[in-house]
Amino acid sequence: MFLSHSRWDHVYARALADQLESAGVRTWIAGPTRHARGWWDDVSVNLECAAAVMVLMTEHSRCAAGVRQEVDEARRTGKPLIPILLSGDPFLLEPAEDVRGGTLPSDGLIRRVKLLCVS
């Protein structure tokens, strides 16, 4: 699973990634680049390897060019998109789950994601 999010929402994204990981869904989220390759190199390699892309929608990610690039690339390559609405209004996609208020996604959604990502 590739988790697309704005850097401003990293705390929630990390909690969501932990939830996915504890359910057995290997998850990649962007962090500080630790090597000579640039940000997009890291993103594109991990997007290519991902079975699906979860998009954390907030007012921050609405304005984040990187989130839009990740969604565009997922669409271009036919990756399933799983939008999660954390704050603000939906954009680009209709949300699979509304978690406004900071709750984590339901067990039902996590089970559906696991079916997509774990073979």
Side-chain angles (χ1 to χ4, degrees):
M1 171 66 63
F2 182 99
L3 181 51
S4 177
H5 68 289
S6 162
R7 65 187 170 109
W8 298 103
D9 302 312
H10 190 75
V11 171
Y12 181 89
R14 181 73 261 162
L16 178 53
D18 290 345
Q19 179 191 28
L20 291 163
E21 291 275 346
S22 70
V25 179
R26 188 170 178 188
T27 305
W28 186 86
I29 64 172
T33 302
R34 299 191 227 331
H35 43 73
R37 290 186 306 161
W39 166 81
W40 185 248
D41 290 333
D42 268 352
V43 166
S44 62
V45 164
N46 285 284
L47 261 172
E48 183 179 325
C49 296
V53 176
M54 187 171 280
V55 182
L56 187 56
M57 293 190 296
T58 68
E59 55 277 346
H60 302 296
S61 60
R62 174 186 291 276
C63 301
V67 170
R68 289 182 186 273
Q69 283 179 284
E70 293 160 1
V71 168
D72 288 346
E73 183 65 12
R75 284 180 171 150
R76 188 187 71 72
T77 58
K79 303 276 183 195
L81 289 162
I82 304 151
I84 304 295
L85 181 61
L86 178 59
S87 64
D89 295 316
F91 63 96
L92 298 174
L93 311 154
E94 283 302 311
E97 189 141 344
D98 187 332
V99 296
R100 285 180 280 197
T103 61
L104 288 170
S106 68
D107 290 341
L109 179 67
I110 298 303
R111 281 192 298 275
R112 290 191 307 271
V113 166
K114 189 173 182 176
L115 289 173
L116 273 174
C117 297
V118 179
S119 49

